[in-house]
């Protein structure tokens, strides 16, 4: 890349928002759905809403162990009533005879005619009668039919990433299978003659291919299927061959490294030869060019090879693209606010995303410590950090100022 390309005039730069909107607009939501048993649905994205065919609860039921009766039959403390039926959970009751009480247990249906449940702690069992040692109020300790879920209502909307509570709710309304979006297939390739696969010996000049593993892990967390295209040698021919094989199999091709415009960077000319490519200069750091294009109709995203840049590019661009492809609307980053535990007197003209660690002081106030290294090669900073701080463009910061923070716990799932 020439010096002028490295430092383009800021007006030529896209804002992060402009760039991500364009990327997300190009994501075609997958239309193929599959039906999976409830036990296998965790982490999948729901393709069709779950609509309840039943009321939950399906009848009025007792929230307590006690006695079901008509409140009017026990207006004064000390009233005695014959016990006319016994109702454990799971039975179907007879209507309650006037002037009697039903022994009832938590979860059992309220018999027709009863309008209240008195808890057993204030009752005395006397052979086949019960003494009610309290003034009885109507409408106590009863859970009403449909109070939780009404029949025909949408209980989980399409586009939801299924978490344990969704699985439980689907079971509550009796669903045995769910219709989910087919997982996006993402082909991953790492370009660079210096790369060696972990487990193999490291010759002088070589480094381990960490990006393939970082990207695989992030893709798996998003519920994607990963196609490993391996390490691609730094030649135009090998790069073209790998890219076209990748595009033929995948919904998205993701490449790490080789997207600059140096002599050893062949991804750009290879994608241009096979399809089309935009090399975007975005007003963010890190985030040297993000390459976005298509190969035979398959979308392509290329990230710089620096391990931290790969993470940041993934979080800022690849993740929103894949969420949209899965039919999710919640692809926008949702930063939290915390206080800067540092001064930042000389802001950059670009928005910066730095590795930072969130901690809480004794008063429970969230603060952010910044990692001392700004190098995008230092991957140990990513495990020291628990998120990315967003340093706004052109804005000096003082210790105690509010800043935005993207916790990894939110963005790497
Ligand atoms: P590049 O974008 O190809 O110019 O690579 C930038 C830097 O990232 C170089 O120092 C590369 O050695 C390093 N790098 C490239 N690919 C990987 C990878 N797959 N894993 C770890 N480091 C990489
Ligand atoms: Mg390279």
């Amino acid at each position: 890349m020439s010096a002028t390309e490295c430092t383009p005039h800021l007006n030529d730069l896209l804002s992060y928002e402009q760039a991500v909107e364009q990327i997300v607009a190009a994501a075609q939501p997958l239309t193929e759905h599959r039906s999976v048993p409830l036990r296998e649905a965790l982490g999948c994205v729901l393709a069709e809403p779950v609509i309840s065919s039943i009321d939950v609860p399906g009848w009025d039921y007792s929230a307590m162990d006690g006695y079901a009766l008509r409140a009017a039959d026990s207006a004064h403390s000390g009233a005695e009533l014959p016990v006319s039926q016994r109702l454990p959970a799971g039975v179907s009751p007879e209507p309650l005879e006037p002037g009697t009480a039903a022994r009832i247990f938590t979860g059992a249906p309220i018999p027709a005619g009863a309008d209240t449940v008195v808890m057993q702690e204030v009752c005395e069992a006397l052979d086949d009668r019960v003494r009610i040692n309290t003034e009885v109020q109507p409408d106590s300790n009863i859970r009403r039919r449909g109070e939780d879920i009404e029949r025909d209502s949408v209980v989980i909307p399409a586009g939801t990433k299924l978490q344990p509570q969704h699985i439980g709710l689907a079971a509550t309304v009796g669903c045995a299978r769910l219709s989910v979006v087919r997982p996006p297939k993402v082909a991953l390739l790492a370009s660079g003659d210096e790369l060696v696969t972990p487990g193999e010996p490291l010759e002088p000049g070589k480094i381990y291919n960490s990006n393939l593993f970082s990207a695989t892990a992030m893709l798996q967390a998003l519920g994607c299927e990963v196609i490993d295209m391996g390490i691609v040698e730094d030649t135009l021919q090998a790069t073209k061959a790998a890219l076209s094989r990748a595009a033929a199999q995948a919904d998205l091709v993701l490449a790490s490294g080789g997207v600059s415009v140096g002599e050893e960077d062949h991804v750009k000319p290879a994608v241009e030869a096979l399809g089309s490519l935009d090399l975007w200069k975005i007003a963010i750091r890190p985030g040297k060019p993000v390459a976005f294009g298509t190969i035979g109709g398959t979308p392509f995203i290329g990230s710089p090879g620096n391990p931290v840049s790969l993470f940041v590019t993934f979080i800022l661009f690849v993740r929103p693209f894949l969420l949209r492809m899965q039919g999710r609307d919640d692809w926008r980053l949702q930063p939290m606010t915390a206080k800067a535990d540092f001064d930042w007197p000389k802001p950059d003209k670009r928005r910066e995303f730095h590795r930072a660690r969130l901690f809480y002081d004794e008063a429970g106030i969230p603060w952010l410590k910044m990692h001392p290294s700004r190098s995008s090669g230092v991957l140990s900073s990513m495990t020291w950090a628990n998120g990315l701080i967003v340093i706004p463009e052109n804005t000096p910061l003082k210790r105690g100022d509010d800043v935005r923070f993207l916790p990894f716990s939110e963005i790497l799932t």
Side-chain angles (χ1 to χ4, degrees):
M1 180 180 282
S2 71
T4 47
E5 281 173 304
C6 282
T7 52
H9 192 268
L10 266 184
N11 292 340
D12 299 337
L13 298 181
L14 288 175
S15 70
Y16 169 66
E17 284 76 15
Q18 288 169 322
V20 76
E21 291 285 348
Q22 283 194 47
I23 283 199
V24 166
Q28 292 289 329
L30 292 171
T31 51
E32 274 171 63
H33 304 160
R34 57 169 68 152
S35 161
V36 293
L38 214 44
R39 283 178 213 284
E40 292 167 27
L42 183 66
C44 296
V45 177
L46 195 63
E48 287 164 33
V50 175
I51 297 172
S52 181
S53 59
I54 54 172
D55 286 321
V56 180
W59 52 81
D60 295 355
Y61 76 93
S62 178
M64 292 278 183
D65 288 353
Y67 294 84
L69 44 95
R70 288 176 178 78
D73 288 341
S74 179
H76 305 290
S77 178
E80 282 186 24
L81 298 172
V83 176
S84 54
Q85 55 183 318
R86 188 173 184 278
L87 300 172
V91 301
S92 179
E94 299 293 323
L96 186 72
E97 286 167 38
T100 74
R103 179 73 170 118
I104 197 164
F105 298 89
T106 304
I110 304 294
D115 60 12
T116 198
V117 171
V118 185
M119 59 177 168
Q120 64 188 13
E121 287 78 356
V122 295
C123 301
E124 233 173 293
L126 314 160
D127 295 329
D128 55 356
R129 300 170 70 77
V130 59
R131 180 186 297 140
I132 314 284
N133 293 323
T134 186
E135 258 176 54
V136 175
Q137 303 297 323
D139 215 17
S140 299
N141 304 315
I142 296 178
R143 301 240 165 94
R144 294 295 175 190
R145 173 180 184 146
E147 187 178 279
D148 184 354
I149 296 160
E150 280 180 27
R151 185 185 168 145
D152 296 331
S153 62
V154 173
V155 291
I156 314 174
T160 304
K161 179 166 178 171
L162 296 167
Q163 294 175 338
Q165 61 271 35
H166 300 115
I167 306 292
L169 193 60
T172 295
V173 301
C175 282
R177 304 182 73 86
L178 293 175
S179 170
V180 300
V181 179
R182 164 174 77 68
K185 287 186 219 154
V186 183
L188 270 183
L189 46 97
S191 83
D193 286 344
E194 72 276 37
L195 301 176
V196 171
T197 300
E200 288 173 14
L202 205 57
E203 307 290 336
K206 307 284 183 184
I207 61 167
Y208 284 121
N209 175 11
S210 64
N211 287 349
L212 183 85
F213 290 85
S214 310
T216 297
M218 289 191 280
L219 289 167
Q220 287 170 337
L222 288 184
C224 297
E225 204 175 288
V226 177
I227 306 171
D228 176 1
M229 305 302 299
I231 296 167
V232 181
E233 70 180 82
D234 280 327
T235 66
L236 184 58
Q237 201 189 0
T239 308
K240 276 170 68 177
L243 285 171
S244 44
R245 271 189 297 122
Q249 306 172 56
D251 300 306
L252 171 68
V253 177
L254 192 56
S256 112
V259 290
S260 298
V261 286
E263 278 167 41
E264 295 292 331
D265 295 313
H266 300 289
V267 172
K268 181 177 181 280
V271 178
E272 279 167 345
L274 297 166
S276 65
L277 185 82
D278 280 326
L279 203 57
W280 286 349
K281 301 188 188 78
I282 303 166
I284 58 171
R285 272 175 204 282
K288 283 234 200 120
V290 172
F292 184 65
T294 56
I295 302 168
T298 304
F300 165 85
I301 301 178
S303 154
N306 275 307
V308 174
S309 303
L310 175 94
F311 263 95
V312 174
T313 303
F314 192 98
I315 289 164
L316 297 184
F317 300 104
V318 179
R319 179 176 180 273
F321 183 93
L322 287 169
L323 295 190
R324 195 61 211 115
M325 192 174 241
Q326 290 173 294
R328 286 174 64 178
D329 294 322
D330 57 343
W331 54 266
R332 281 192 179 76
L333 297 169
Q334 300 204 319
M336 61 175 280
T337 301
K339 295 198 177 298
D341 189 24
F342 55 85
D343 291 309
W344 196 256
K346 292 192 189 139
D348 199 277
K349 292 194 176 80
R350 305 187 193 191
R351 195 177 308 172
E352 302 197 48
F353 294 86
H354 278 298
R355 290 133 274 166
R357 187 191 280 203
L358 176 76
F359 66 97
Y360 291 84
D361 67 15
E362 281 159 13
I365 295 173
W367 289 86
L368 292 166
K369 217 177 251 312
M370 188 113 84
H371 193 274
S373 170
R374 294 172 73 187
S375 157
S376 41
V378 180
L379 197 54
S380 55
S381 62
M382 285 294 287
T383 55
W384 175 91
N386 52 20
L388 296 177
I389 188 169
V390 188
I391 307 274
E393 48 275 54
N394 302 316
T395 314
L397 295 175
K398 288 191 309 298
R399 190 174 180 281
D401 283 349
D402 280 345
V403 270
R404 293 186 303 155
F405 180 68
L406 299 162
F408 290 148
S409 56
E410 301 278 317
I411 52 185
L412 294 178
T413 58

